Amino acid sequence: MKVKTLRGRVTLWSAGVVTAALILFGAVAAWNLRAELTENLDDEITTEAHDFFTALQQEPVDWQNPRSVEALFDQSKRFHYVEINDAAGRLLYRSANLKNEEVFPNQPGTQLHNLVWRDLTLRFGVFAAGGITLALGKDTEETNEVLGQLVSAYLLALPLVVLAVGLGSWWIAHRAVAPVRAIAAQAEKISASDLHQRIGASASPDEIKHLTLVLNAMFERLQNSFEQVTRFTSDASHELKTPLALMRAEVETALETPGLGSQPRELLSNLIEQCTQLSQIVDGLLFLSRADDRSLAIERKPVDLVALVHDLAEDAEILAEPGKLELQSELAAELVVPGDRLLLARAVMNLIDNGIKYNEPGGSVLLSASMNGKNASLRVRNTGPGLTPEQRERVFDRFYRSDPAHGKETGGHGLGLSIAREIARAHGGDVHLVHSDSDWTEFSIVLPVVSPGMIG
């Protein structure tokens, strides 16, 4: 499972590194302890062998009497495994726990070894002095028990330590990324309409403060660029309105010239149509630049959306007539919202016009309105080809048309939905693409209803 948060990754990495380090440390510690315990066992065996030969020199031994032989050894060590031979290799003594079996080799050596006998692991050494060969072994069970207890305790404590490290890492990571989360939360509130906002800088001179300064500098550059583009669009729109109006007036005057031929008349009519479209585009750009600059003049009065739709029905029927579209409505009795009637009429008409333009011949457009909590919702549904996922992402982009060829036929210029959304947002609402598939597409404009204190 892939961890998506930085806190989770820091926690997992910390716990993983600590776990690996603890396992390596435990393995090395166990290895060293085993080596130390084995060395201690070897020292005990060597010391007891030395004591045996010393005692053997001090008093005679009756090799036929086991008690006489066992008296040479410390009684507390009587459970050791012992085998004694003379210089000729004849067995002189063998401890009872060896079951009268020949277990040890008779060749003396300087190194001690392990051997497995009857599921027992014996640590032994073979020593020779004064014509006597002593094979002395000790069970390693006690050594293994000590080592096993250590390993068990370590394995029991390891999960607790890893859990503590994980919780500590999570807490530290949580504290470490808290300023980043705060910066992200502030940055999410900054949009094109309020680029003047800035992120509060940290008091401590650390990486977080540097990140804040970098982001604020970036927002400053974005604000300057955005304001420059907005001013340019507004100024260009203002400058274009007068020449376009003059051009249209001149063309209309030329169109009234007596005796004008059919071909020049058709050409002048096309020029008037193009001037009209250019004027609409300039008007849309000027409106959007004002919306971006938050300088829309909105007169807030009670507006009945249902009555507004009825007033726009005649114009909608005229637009729907060429495509033989059927206009249907499912409207509530009354939906009153605070706002500017002219602007809201423009937004609603843009949605209706969009549903008519991007429809199929003989299709239908359904207008419905309802209350949704404290909001009024007006929906425009039309039949026809739906939008692809890419088109849904860009449908509100300025100058974007889902079907450029169809847009040329209908005279669309890709600003209608953008203007409708800016009007809705200026009224505290929004425009949404609710649904789109191969059968039908639906847009909705959502606006807050009238409440006490909203109308000034």
Side-chain angles (χ1 to χ4, degrees):
M1 181 179 66
K2 186 177 181 180
V3 180
K4 297 182 180 180
T5 63
L6 177 60
R7 285 177 295 172
R9 289 196 294 271
V10 169
T11 302
L12 286 181
W13 273 105
S14 300
V17 170
V18 170
T19 301
L22 289 176
I23 291 176
L24 179 61
F25 172 78
V28 173
W31 178 272
N32 290 334
L33 178 61
R34 185 181 186 88
E36 185 176 352
L37 291 174
T38 301
E39 184 179 356
N40 292 339
L41 191 60
D42 291 348
D43 291 342
E44 291 179 8
I45 294 174
T46 304
T47 300
E48 291 179 21
H50 178 269
D51 293 343
F52 167 78
F53 286 111
T54 301
L56 187 62
Q57 294 175 0
Q58 294 177 354
E59 58 183 279
V61 178
D62 182 5
W63 298 108
Q64 302 300 322
N65 185 357
R67 291 187 177 182
S68 178
V69 177
E70 292 171 359
L72 300 175
F73 297 93
D74 189 344
Q75 292 301 309
S76 64
K77 312 295 184 181
R78 61 185 179 276
F79 297 109
H80 290 175
Y81 299 82
V82 180
E83 187 175 283
I84 303 174
N85 296 278
D86 60 12
R90 291 190 300 270
L91 179 65
L92 300 178
Y93 171 82
R94 178 179 288 146
S95 58
N97 52 14
L98 288 177
K99 309 298 184 182
N100 203 26
E101 295 182 16
E102 185 176 345
V103 177
F104 303 111
N106 293 326
Q107 298 296 327
T110 58
Q111 298 292 331
L112 278 71
H113 304 279
N114 288 345
L115 65 82
V116 178
W117 172 72
R118 292 198 174 195
D119 297 329
L120 296 176
T121 302
L122 303 179
R123 184 73 175 175
F124 76 95
V126 180
F127 308 90
I132 298 297
T133 301
L134 169 66
L136 180 61
K138 300 185 72 171
D139 192 352
T140 60
E141 181 180 0
E142 183 177 353
T143 300
N144 294 335
E145 286 181 358
V146 173
L147 188 62
Q149 290 173 359
L150 173 68
V151 172
S152 299
Y154 196 82
L155 292 178
L156 181 63
L158 181 61
L160 300 178
V161 174
V162 172
L163 179 61
V165 170
L167 293 176
S169 300
W170 177 268
W171 181 79
I172 293 174
H174 178 79
R175 292 291 302 272
V177 302
V180 179
R181 292 200 309 273
I183 291 174
Q186 295 180 56
E188 286 179 347
K189 298 177 182 178
I190 300 177
S191 61
S193 59
D194 52 6
L195 282 173
H196 63 282
Q197 295 190 40
R198 294 295 180 267
I199 299 173
S202 172
S204 58
D206 53 13
E207 291 82 355
I208 300 299
K209 182 176 182 179
H210 178 68
L211 174 62
T212 303
L213 295 176
V214 170
L215 289 176
N216 284 336
M218 181 189 69
F219 288 135
E220 184 74 24
R221 293 192 299 271
L222 287 176
Q223 182 184 6
N224 294 335
S225 300
F226 190 80
E227 289 177 350
Q228 183 179 2
V229 171
T230 302
R231 286 194 300 269
F232 172 79
T233 304
S234 179
D235 294 343
S237 301
H238 273 296
E239 294 297 327
L240 287 173
K241 288 187 70 174
T242 300
L244 283 174
L246 293 175
M247 287 174 58
R248 177 165 180 168
E250 293 291 340
V251 173
E252 289 176 346
T253 301
L255 191 60
E256 295 175 357
T257 302
L260 190 65
S262 59
Q263 186 173 357
R265 184 176 297 277
E266 181 180 357
L267 177 61
L268 292 176
S269 298
N270 290 336
L271 287 176
I272 292 177
E273 182 179 352
Q274 296 300 322
C275 286
T276 301
Q277 289 194 14
L278 284 174
S279 297
Q280 292 175 351
I281 293 175
V282 169
D283 180 66
L285 288 175
L286 182 59
F287 178 88
L288 291 173
S289 66
R290 289 173 178 171
D292 293 336
D293 200 31
R294 293 173 296 172
S295 58
L296 287 179
I298 299 179
E299 183 182 8
R300 294 187 180 274
K301 293 184 178 181
V303 178
D304 185 358
L305 284 180
V306 176
L308 183 64
V309 172
H310 287 310
D311 293 343
L312 298 174
E314 183 176 352
D315 292 338
E317 290 176 355
I318 295 175
L319 294 175
E321 186 175 351
K324 298 182 180 180
L325 304 177
E326 180 184 3
L327 291 180
Q328 303 173 351
S329 61
E330 296 177 356
L331 302 174
E334 184 181 67
L335 285 177
V336 180
V337 298
D340 190 304
R341 181 179 179 83
L342 292 178
L343 289 179
L344 291 177
R346 183 174 185 179
V348 173
M349 195 62 203
N350 282 355
L351 293 181
I352 296 174
D353 182 54
N354 183 79
I356 292 174
K357 287 179 179 178
Y358 297 95
N359 212 318
E360 59 185 8
S364 63
V365 176
L366 174 63
L367 306 177
S368 60
S370 63
M371 283 289 299
N372 182 14
K374 296 182 179 180
N375 296 322
S377 175
L378 175 64
R379 297 178 298 279
V380 180
R381 175 187 295 190
N382 68 291
T383 55
L387 299 173
T388 64
E390 179 184 359
Q391 292 170 342
R392 295 173 194 170
E393 294 290 331
R394 301 187 56 194
V395 70
F396 290 103
D397 291 353
R398 298 170 186 183
F399 292 107
Y400 178 75
R401 290 174 293 184
S402 59
D403 185 358
H406 186 62
K408 292 178 181 179
E409 296 174 2
T410 58
H413 44 72
L415 292 177
L417 291 177
S418 301
I419 292 174
R421 185 173 63 172
E422 293 299 335
I423 293 174
R425 289 180 173 178
H427 285 77
D430 208 344
V431 175
H432 305 283
L433 172 62
V434 179
H435 178 86
S436 183
D437 59 18
S438 58
D439 296 325
W440 53 277
T441 299
E442 180 176 308
F443 288 89
S444 72
I445 178 171
V446 180
L447 298 167
V449 297
V450 170
S451 61
M454 293 185 66
I455 307 298

